[in-house]
Amino acid sequence: LPTVLALAHNKLLINVAIGYNDYVVMRHPTTPLDKVDTTGSHLGCYFCTDIVAPVNSLQNRTLDQQCTVTRPGVGALSSSLAVELLINIINANSKLESQLDSTAVTTEEESHEHGAMGCIPHQIRGNIDTFQTAQITTEAYDMCVACSSKVISEFKTNQKEFLIKSMCDKEYLEKMTGLYDMKKRTDEIDLDEFEF
């Protein structure tokens, strides 16, 4: 819902997701996919890379794989990175601000040319076990259950009905975006036909 609301109202959204020993900090796009220049790429939201998000993702997982338990420091570290990301975005000049939804400006070298305080990555993924951090960029997925044009358009048109259906029918968003049919076709593939 925060992703839908932010896109519907053209607001910046930075999210932090933490696991037992890893985290992701990312900025969501501020412009819906159908409102941007189609010649370039467009940043995806958190749910563009997680097509099982509407279902119970905690089911059948061990305790250390659930987001309810985390190692000390993961929350503080990821939250501080989110604050730094916000500060860099706020201090970016107008040229970069107009391009923040494009994946073309997310590399450190290019961002240093435009950003007053340095890099403005799309995602920061870290792992406490290995003490490694990676900057990753993902493109928008046209069947995303949170930021696709169909979802944003339906929310703007029928807010109350959209919210009720989204909360009461676990397949509503997937059916609206076409993700349900795609997953169904995938499940019907006979893997025995392929040689591995």
Side-chain angles (χ1 to χ4, degrees):
L1 184 58
T3 302
V4 174
L5 289 169
L7 266 171
H9 299 288
N10 294 87
K11 301 293 182 186
L12 176 66
L13 173 65
I14 296 175
N15 80 283
V16 176
I18 56 176
Y20 177 68
N21 60 4
D22 54 1
Y23 60 86
V24 60
V25 177
M26 72 178 293
R27 60 186 168 95
H28 288 230
T30 56
T31 309
L33 188 57
D34 63 338
K35 303 289 188 219
V36 296
D37 179 11
T38 56
T39 59
S41 52
H42 188 261
L43 293 181
C45 75
Y46 180 82
F47 301 98
C48 286
T49 58
D50 186 4
I51 62 170
V52 296
V55 298
N56 183 358
S57 60
L58 299 179
Q59 186 177 3
N60 300 324
R61 289 192 179 187
T62 60
L63 189 61
D64 66 330
Q65 294 175 321
Q66 298 181 20
C67 293
T68 54
V69 178
T70 186
R71 287 172 58 171
V74 175
L77 177 60
S78 55
S79 297
S80 64
L81 286 171
V83 170
E84 288 298 325
L85 180 59
L86 176 62
I87 297 301
N88 284 4
I89 291 170
I90 290 171
N91 285 292
N93 67 28
S94 59
K95 182 178 180 183
L96 180 60
E97 287 172 0
S98 67
Q99 299 173 344
L100 278 176
D101 288 336
S102 169
T103 59
V105 297
T106 57
T107 64
E108 185 172 357
E109 185 177 301
E110 291 171 327
S111 295
H112 277 298
E113 294 177 16
H114 307 291
M117 296 186 69
C119 183
I120 303 177
H122 178 220
Q123 294 183 46
I124 306 164
R125 291 183 177 263
N127 186 290
I128 299 300
D129 278 345
T130 60
F131 292 98
Q132 291 182 324
T133 304
Q135 292 180 22
I136 298 171
T137 302
T138 56
E139 291 189 25
Y141 182 46
D142 62 349
M143 288 190 231
C144 178
V145 296
C147 75
S148 66
S149 301
K150 291 177 183 176
V151 170
I152 303 305
S153 175
E154 184 65 22
F155 173 76
K156 287 181 175 180
T157 307
N158 304 305
Q159 287 184 9
K160 186 176 179 182
E161 292 83 2
F162 172 86
L163 293 173
I164 292 171
K165 287 179 182 177
S166 297
M167 290 184 262
C168 295
D169 181 0
K170 66 180 184 178
E171 296 174 343
Y172 171 67
L173 292 172
E174 288 187 352
K175 286 180 177 177
M176 178 196 310
T177 60
L179 189 59
Y180 180 85
D181 291 333
M182 188 271 297
K183 288 168 76 173
K184 189 174 178 182
R185 287 192 305 271
T186 304
D187 290 340
E188 293 170 356
I189 294 174
D190 184 8
L191 295 177
D192 293 333
E193 296 177 12
F194 299 94
E195 290 185 27
F196 294 103

